Amino acid sequence: MNKTVTWGKVEEICDELAKNMLADGCKGVLLGLGRGGLVPAVILSHKLKCPLHPIIWQTRDGGRKDKLLSLLLSIEDETTIYVVDDINDSGETFSQVTDELFTLLCDYKKTSKIRVRTVSLFTRYSSKYCSDYFGETVCSDVFLEFPWETYNE
């Protein structure tokens, strides 16, 4: 079963996420995960006036570590990295990305105070990873169809 997520719902959730992140003193950079996390990351980047660093994350993508390392080496020590995706489904993507970031932090920026937080529009009730910021919980196995995934044939 599919559920369509409208642009209006995306804007509403991004507004709420931005408000919550600002209330927590949002100071940092956004790491938008392609493909699904790029659109919400761009929206949040504008709302929060934070720089955006897009990255394609795939288990088989050998170049991702270099991209994460160059990001870490380019940011200040008192920064928070907000990893953004459209949905925290199984939790595997957030687990992999945050594990990689923490490993690189330990190897290359041992004395830094860089923090890593995760942000998703939706989080699945059965996810093994708990997003730091999320808009809504999906309490079923319904497939969410985002507006950037649809096109006219």
Side-chain angles (χ1 to χ4, degrees):
M1 182 168 150
N2 291 0
K3 177 182 176 185
T4 301
V5 178
T6 66
W7 282 112
K9 177 54 92 175
V10 170
E11 280 289 333
E12 175 187 321
I13 291 173
C14 284
D15 284 342
E16 191 65 29
L17 288 170
K19 184 168 44 167
N20 292 337
M21 293 165 74
L22 285 170
D24 289 345
C26 176
K27 176 186 172 199
V29 299
L30 299 172
L31 182 65
L33 300 179
R35 291 184 308 199
L38 293 176
V39 174
V42 168
I43 294 169
L44 288 169
S45 175
H46 287 287
K47 290 181 182 300
L48 298 168
K49 297 178 179 37
C50 289
L52 168 64
H53 297 269
I55 186 168
I56 302 301
W57 186 269
Q58 295 174 336
T59 305
R60 300 170 308 278
D61 178 14
R64 70 182 186 269
K65 186 173 185 177
D66 291 340
K67 292 176 185 175
L68 290 178
L69 179 57
S70 64
L71 167 65
L72 286 177
L73 295 176
S74 70
I75 61 176
E76 298 175 21
D77 283 347
E78 296 287 326
T79 301
T80 301
I81 299 171
Y82 295 93
V83 182
V84 183
D85 209 352
D86 53 359
I87 183 167
N88 171 21
D89 204 355
S90 68
E92 188 65 27
T93 300
F94 277 152
S95 291
Q96 288 178 0
V97 174
T98 56
D99 286 352
E100 187 79 31
L101 283 168
F102 287 127
T103 298
L104 291 169
L105 280 170
C106 289
D107 289 346
Y108 293 95
K109 288 209 157 201
K110 293 179 174 129
T111 60
S112 78
K113 295 181 181 176
I114 295 174
R115 292 167 299 286
V116 177
R117 300 290 182 263
T118 54
V119 183
S120 59
L121 299 177
F122 294 89
T123 193
R124 184 132 354 239
Y125 72 100
S126 57
S127 177
K128 293 179 174 81
Y129 191 95
C130 183
S131 298
D132 295 296
Y133 299 93
F134 63 91
E136 293 185 6
T137 301
V138 180
C139 296
S140 68
D141 291 330
V142 66
F143 178 80
L144 297 180
E145 191 171 275
F146 293 95
W148 50 87
E149 296 173 333
T150 59
Y151 57 91
N152 295 325
E153 294 184 28

